[in-house]
Amino acid sequence: VARMADPAQASSHQRRRGLRPWGWMLGAALLVAPALALQRLSLWVHGPTLVGTVATLSVLVFVLTWVDKRRAETGGRRIPESLLHLGELLGGWPGGGLAQRLFRHKTSKISYQAVFWMIVAAHQLAAVDYLRGGQITRDLWHVIRLQFGGGS
């Protein structure tokens, strides 16, 4: 007799394996400002090239994270964290974040997560600043000059 899986257990197992609904919503929300900035930037830079470059970096970091997870499980030579972070910094953070959650890799390593989320925050800030015409950067430089330069 075939035994039917308990829906409550399957649901719990599926939630542990992948992203929870709030994780998908957060991921989508984090893509809004960068996507809008890329759209505006595509007025100056060839749009398909720009989007293709960012998508390629994201896929590359996703694959590198998967490879690192497999190597961690089999005792193989690991992908340096600095390489993963470089890929994230260059624009591959969405793929890295997705891979971390789907493969449950590097999610509990606080030092890795701290750097990853600083990279995500930097991308968010850069996107919002670009969308606001560089106002955040101008304000920041004004404060720095007042504090350290002695003038206005």
Side-chain angles (χ1 to χ4, degrees), residues 12-20 62 65-66 68-70 72-73 78 96-109 112-113:
S12 173
H13 176 70
Q14 288 170 344
R15 279 195 301 265
R16 281 194 311 256
R17 277 280 294 150
L19 289 173
R20 292 187 171 110
F62 183 92
T65 303
W66 176 78
D68 189 53
K69 171 68 174 186
R70 295 295 159 245
E73 292 173 340
R78 304 287 300 277
L98 181 61
Q100 289 172 39
R101 298 311 178 259
L102 288 179
F103 306 134
R104 296 178 63 193
H105 188 54
K106 304 264 187 208
T107 55
S108 62
K109 187 171 183 182
Y112 189 89
Q113 288 298 303

Side-chain angles (χ1 to χ4, degrees), residues 126-139:
V128 170
D129 187 42
Y130 181 71
L131 292 169
R132 295 189 63 203
Q135 186 62 47
I136 297 169
T137 303
R138 284 192 298 278
D139 291 346

Side-chain angles (χ1 to χ4, degrees), residues 2-135:
R3 187 174 160 174
M4 298 297 284
D6 180 7
Q9 286 179 328
S11 175
S12 173
H13 176 70
Q14 288 170 344
R15 279 195 301 265
R16 281 194 311 256
R17 277 280 294 150
L19 289 173
R20 292 187 171 110
W22 62 265
W24 288 109
M25 289 185 287
L26 175 62
L30 288 172
L31 291 173
V32 171
L36 291 171
L38 284 175
Q39 184 216 10
R40 183 178 287 177
L41 188 58
S42 71
L43 298 172
W44 304 101
V45 179
H46 187 248
T49 301
L50 184 64
V51 171
T53 300
V54 172
T56 299
L57 284 166
S58 203
V59 169
L60 178 64
V61 175
F62 183 92
V63 170
L64 286 173
T65 303
W66 176 78
V67 168
D68 189 53
K69 171 68 174 186
R70 295 295 159 245
R71 288 180 180 179
E73 292 173 340
T74 61
R77 185 170 180 214
R78 304 287 300 277
I79 306 289
E81 288 184 2
S82 59
L83 181 62
L84 296 174
H85 286 317
L86 177 63
E88 295 159 356
L89 185 63
L90 292 175
W93 64 268
L98 181 61
Q100 289 172 39
R101 298 311 178 259
L102 288 179
F103 306 134
R104 296 178 63 193
H105 188 54
K106 304 264 187 208
T107 55
S108 62
K109 187 171 183 182
I110 294 171
S111 61
Y112 189 89
Q113 288 298 303
V115 174
F116 173 77
W117 286 106
M118 283 190 282
I119 289 169
V120 173
H123 276 270
Q124 299 302 309
L125 181 62
V128 170
D129 187 42
Y130 181 71
L131 292 169
R132 295 189 63 203
Q135 186 62 47

Side-chain angles (χ1 to χ4, degrees), residues 140-152:
L140 181 61
W141 280 118
H142 179 72
V143 168
I144 290 170
R145 281 194 308 272
L146 287 176
Q147 292 296 316
F148 300 105
S152 57

